[in-house]
Amino acid sequence: MKLRIGFLGFLMVLCTLAGTGWAQQPQGHYLVLKVDRLGNVQPVFHRAVDVEARPMPEKSLREKAARSSSQLLAETAAWAEIAEIPPHLRGEFAADGQGGQIIPHRVPLNEHYFALRIPASAGNRVSVSYLGRKTTLDLGEISAKSSSLPFAGSSGARSKRAAANSANRLDILVIGDGYTAAEQAQFQTHFTNLRNTFLAHTPYAEYASFVNWESLFVASNQSGADHPPYQAGCTTTSCCADTAAQDDPRAGLIVDTAFDGTFCTAQIHRLVTVSYGKVLAAASAAPHWDQIIVIVNDPVYGGAGGSFSVATANEWSSHIAVHEFGHTFTRLADEYTTPYPGFPNCSDTGGGYPCEVNVTNQTDRSLIKWNYWIGASTPIPTSPGTTGIGLFEGARYQETGMYRPEHTCAMRNLAVPFCNVCSQAYVMMLYAGGSGFAGGRTTASS
Ligand SMILES: [Zn+2]
């Protein structure tokens, strides 16, 4: 025994000296945390993973995140990560259940789940700052009790090795809910359909080589999603107060699935959500993921946006995911004008938070962010319906005083192309990099 350990040790030293990377990487952590609106933090899942450190966010960004209500700062002396904490679930559906005008809904979230990937080099004491409240977590203690954490059972997915180029690619992980073990081939078909919908959009097609699409199959006990039946005035999750539920062909179907996919979240029939904590736990099988999309195996139109997109297998639902991805990855603003009471204002003319790349309140031609796209003879502002790039009034939940670059765009309507400014923003985001996790393979014990 002694001899064997000695030999292994000798081998590891050799590998390290040779710089081959064959030596086992030190163990890091994949941690899912729940936070509530008071800033209370609770670990709900832990898995040991090999993950390399990413560049630390700048100090000014860390300080801003610690104070923000939409971001959370996790840090040790040697490592830091900023997690996005969206305040609302977004339900953005086509009025006709296919494409065109978006009918938006927002549901305030009282609790959030997010994943941290922490390299071993970070050390064991992580402080989490949210809403001005600081909580210190001991990774050693959490690791020791990982099997008793609430979502320990969601780690059943088999570990996937990251593609060799994962560190400098955008890794999109697609997870299915409501697929039985016998429906794995159906999941692969729906995965391919979703990817094809994305790749039918410029610039996703042209920059496809910058993206790794990966699927993760997790079997559910039953097929489909919950469809709570219509009941006027319903206030519980076992029924649906939305009159749209009266036309649901699967009304009353209640099934046992891996991620608890359900229609009628917050009494909005098409708002299909899953257990975000369980999905993030299962995603630990591919801990190098950069973005997650969940497909719910159900033919009825619906989905949701938030920290990640959810879309049913209905062919039109994938367009919801395309729009939501514009928010979660490209950080684009909505370009439609339906009011959003309480949404923070932005300004490109001084004072306040600068507007997202695809909207502005700047009407001085020379100062418009996308002025290099605007033809010299194009009037500013530009008349509705004009082809090409200009300054079109109506965007970001305002009919007036806020402008967008083109008449139509996937950030304004569903199942239409992205405008040129939004397309450019996606490409710039890919080139900016920094979202890639290196390593990320779960350890042998997982
Ligand atoms: Zn939107």
Side-chain angles (χ1 to χ4, degrees):
M1 196 65 181
K2 252 184 186 171
L3 266 176
R4 195 162 158 239
I5 290 167
F7 176 69
L8 274 176
F10 172 70
L11 200 64
M12 285 177 77
V13 168
L14 258 189
C15 290
T16 309
L17 284 175
T20 58
W22 288 355
Q24 193 181 0
Q25 291 173 2
Q27 204 167 69
H29 308 267
Y30 184 105
L31 187 62
V32 180
L33 298 177
K34 179 170 103 170
V35 293
D36 65 21
R37 295 309 292 176
L38 299 173
N40 296 308
V41 174
Q42 184 199 345
V44 292
F45 178 81
H46 174 274
R47 189 171 188 169
V49 297
D50 294 330
V51 62
E52 290 170 20
R54 296 202 300 176
M56 197 129 145
E58 285 172 27
K59 190 164 181 246
S60 61
L61 294 176
R62 300 202 303 270
E63 286 170 352
K64 183 172 155 268
R67 293 191 307 268
S68 168
S69 62
S70 61
Q71 289 184 322
L72 176 149
L73 174 68
E75 62 182 349
T76 69
W79 165 92
E81 188 85 39
I82 294 169
E84 300 294 327
I85 306 289
H88 292 100
L89 262 182
R90 285 189 302 269
E92 298 180 292
F93 315 113
D96 65 355
Q98 295 190 348
Q101 193 196 345
I102 293 173
I103 303 297
H105 304 267
R106 294 106 189 169
V107 176
L109 287 165
N110 294 320
E111 55 184 37
H112 300 273
Y113 294 93
F114 61 96
L116 293 175
R117 284 151 288 183
I118 308 169
S121 59
N124 263 4
R125 290 185 73 75
V126 176
S127 77
V128 177
S129 304
Y130 181 54
L131 297 171
R133 188 167 178 158
K134 202 178 220 181
T135 308
T136 303
L137 302 170
D138 184 317
L139 294 175
E141 270 176 30
I142 294 170
S143 170
K145 64 172 188 186
S146 61
S147 63
S148 61
L149 293 176
F151 296 142
S154 298
S155 65
R158 199 179 328 153
S159 163
K160 292 174 90 87
R161 185 182 282 271
N165 58 12
S166 169
N168 67 351
R169 291 295 185 280
L170 169 63
D171 296 290
I172 301 177
L173 180 65
V174 179
I175 304 179
D177 188 37
Y179 294 87
T180 63
E183 291 175 325
Q184 188 162 2
Q186 193 173 341
F187 170 60
Q188 288 303 326
T189 301
H190 292 163
F191 164 71
T192 304
N193 293 347
L194 176 76
R195 184 178 57 187
N196 287 346
T197 301
F198 271 72
L199 293 181
H201 284 79
T202 290
Y204 294 155
E206 293 79 354
Y207 288 81
S209 62
F210 286 60
V211 179
N212 292 328
W213 283 84
E214 200 176 338
S215 63
L216 177 67
F217 181 74
V218 179
S220 289
N221 290 331
Q222 291 180 292
S223 181
D226 288 352
H227 291 248
Y230 174 71
Q231 187 184 306
C234 174
T235 56
T236 71
T237 54
S238 59
C239 49
C240 188
D242 187 344
T243 53
Q246 289 174 305
D247 303 324
D248 185 339
R250 302 188 121 196
L253 179 70
I254 303 293
V255 284
D256 172 14
T257 67
F259 304 116
D260 309 329
T262 184
F263 280 76
C264 204
T265 304
Q267 308 301 335
I268 299 160
H269 177 248
R270 285 171 172 167
L271 190 55
V272 178
T273 58
V274 290
S275 162
Y276 290 77
K278 287 184 185 177
V279 168
L280 290 172
S284 66
H288 50 277
W289 62 264
D290 299 316
Q291 293 279 321
I292 291 175
I293 301 174
V294 175
I295 307 177
V296 172
N297 183 25
D298 200 281
V300 177
Y301 179 70
S307 51
F308 53 78
S309 310
V310 177
T312 66
N314 179 290
E315 66 169 304
W316 294 101
S317 299
S318 53
H319 290 280
I320 301 172
V322 169
H323 174 95
E324 298 305 336
F325 200 75
H327 290 305
T328 52
F329 178 70
T330 316
R331 311 270 173 103
L332 298 170
D334 280 317
E335 296 184 14
Y336 53 79
T337 56
T338 314
Y340 189 157
F343 194 79
N345 288 329
C346 71
S347 176
D348 290 336
T349 57
Y353 174 79
C355 296
E356 294 85 350
V357 292
N358 61 325
V359 293
T360 189
N361 61 335
Q362 177 61 261
T363 56
D364 180 334
R365 178 190 288 266
S366 65
L367 298 176
I368 298 169
K369 288 178 285 196
W370 55 83
N371 62 5
Y372 44 86
W373 283 100
I374 304 173
S377 60
T378 303
I380 299 295
T382 316
S383 306
T386 305
T387 310
I389 303 165
L391 191 74
F392 293 81
E393 188 159 36
R396 206 180 185 270
Y397 324 119
Q398 313 284 336
E399 291 279 1
T400 58
M402 191 59 68
Y403 301 83
R404 62 189 192 276
E406 290 188 40
H407 182 67
T408 61
C409 175
M411 296 315 290
R412 181 171 167 90
N413 296 104
L414 294 184
V416 301
F418 283 105
C419 70
N420 286 288
V421 169
C422 289
S423 298
Q424 175 184 258
Y426 174 76
V427 177
M428 302 284 276
M429 197 65 93
L430 286 178
Y431 276 112
S435 64
F437 270 92
R441 190 166 49 87
T442 51
T443 54
S445 61
S446 308

